[in-house]
Coordinates of all heavy atoms in Angstrom, one line a residue:
Chain A
V3 N -0.5 -5.1 101.5 CA 0.7 -4.7 100.8 C 1.2 -3.4 101.4 O 0.4 -2.5 101.7 CB 0.4 -4.6 99.3 CG1 1.7 -4.2 98.6 CG2 -0.1 -5.9 98.7
A13 N 21.2 -0.9 108.4 CA 21.0 -0.1 109.6 C 19.6 -0.4 110.2 O 19.4 -0.2 111.3 CB 21.1 1.4 109.3
R17 N 14.4 -2.9 113.0 CA 13.1 -2.2 112.8 C 12.2 -3.0 111.8 O 11.0 -3.1 112.0 CB 13.3 -0.8 112.4 CG 14.0 0.1 113.5 CD 13.3 0.3 114.8 NE 11.9 0.8 114.6 CZ 11.6 2.0 115.0 NH1 12.5 2.8 115.5 NH2 10.4 2.4 114.8
D39 N 23.4 -7.5 96.4 CA 22.6 -8.7 96.5 C 23.3 -9.7 97.4 O 22.6 -10.5 98.2 CB 22.4 -9.4 95.1 CG 21.6 -8.5 94.2 OD1 20.8 -7.7 94.7 OD2 21.6 -8.7 93.0
G58 N 20.0 -5.0 94.0 CA 20.9 -4.2 94.8 C 22.0 -3.6 94.0 O 22.3 -4.0 92.9
Q61 N 26.3 0.9 97.7 CA 26.3 2.1 98.6 C 25.0 2.9 98.5 O 24.5 3.5 99.5 CB 27.4 3.0 98.1 CG 27.6 4.3 99.0 CD 28.8 5.1 98.5 OE1 29.5 4.7 97.5 NE2 29.1 6.1 99.2
R98 N 0.5 -8.2 89.9 CA 1.8 -7.7 89.4 C 2.2 -6.5 90.3 O 1.4 -5.6 90.6 CB 1.7 -7.2 88.0 CG 3.0 -6.8 87.3 CD 3.9 -8.0 87.1 NE 5.2 -7.6 86.8 CZ 6.3 -8.5 86.9 NH1 6.1 -9.7 87.4 NH2 7.5 -8.1 86.6
L100 N 5.2 -3.7 91.6 CA 6.5 -3.0 91.3 C 6.9 -2.2 92.5 O 6.1 -1.6 93.2 CB 6.3 -2.0 90.2 CG 6.0 -2.5 88.8 CD1 5.9 -1.4 87.8 CD2 7.0 -3.6 88.3
W121 N 13.1 9.2 84.2 CA 12.8 8.0 84.9 C 11.3 7.8 85.0 O 10.7 6.7 84.8 CB 13.5 8.0 86.2 CG 13.7 6.6 86.8 CD1 14.8 5.9 86.8 CD2 12.7 5.9 87.6 NE1 14.6 4.7 87.4 CE2 13.3 4.7 88.0 CE3 11.4 6.1 88.0 CZ2 12.7 3.7 88.7 CZ3 10.7 5.2 88.7 CH2 11.4 4.0 89.1
L129 N 4.1 1.1 82.2 CA 2.7 0.8 82.7 C 1.7 0.9 81.6 O 0.6 0.3 81.7 CB 2.4 1.8 83.9 CG 3.3 1.6 85.1 CD1 3.1 2.8 86.1 CD2 2.9 0.3 85.8
V140 N 1.8 -0.5 92.1 CA 3.0 0.2 91.8 C 3.3 1.1 93.1 O 2.7 2.1 93.3 CB 3.0 1.1 90.6 CG1 4.3 1.7 90.3 CG2 2.4 0.3 89.4
L184 N -3.9 5.1 96.0 CA -4.8 4.4 96.9 C -5.0 5.2 98.2 O -6.1 5.4 98.7 CB -4.2 3.0 97.2 CG -5.0 2.2 98.2 CD1 -6.3 1.7 97.5 CD2 -4.3 1.0 98.7
L216 N 1.1 4.3 96.9 CA 0.7 3.0 96.4 C -0.3 3.3 95.2 O -1.4 3.7 95.5 CB 0.0 2.2 97.4 CG 0.9 1.6 98.6 CD1 0.0 1.0 99.7 CD2 1.8 0.5 98.0
Y230 N -3.2 3.3 105.0 CA -2.7 4.2 106.1 C -1.2 4.3 106.1 O -0.5 3.4 105.6 CB -3.3 3.8 107.4 CG -2.8 2.4 107.9 CD1 -1.7 2.3 108.7 CD2 -3.4 1.3 107.5 CE1 -1.2 1.1 109.2 CE2 -3.0 0.0 107.9 CZ -1.9 0.0 108.8 OH -1.4 -1.2 109.2
P241 N 15.0 5.1 113.7 CA 14.0 5.0 112.6 C 14.5 5.4 111.2 O 15.5 6.1 111.1 CB 12.9 6.0 113.0 CG 13.7 7.1 113.7 CD 14.9 6.4 114.4

Side-chain angles (χ1 to χ4, degrees):
Chain A
V3 178
R17 298 294 303 252
D39 292 339
Q61 184 177 4
R98 189 68 194 159
L100 297 180
W121 200 97
L129 294 168
V140 186
L184 182 72
L216 289 170
Y230 65 93

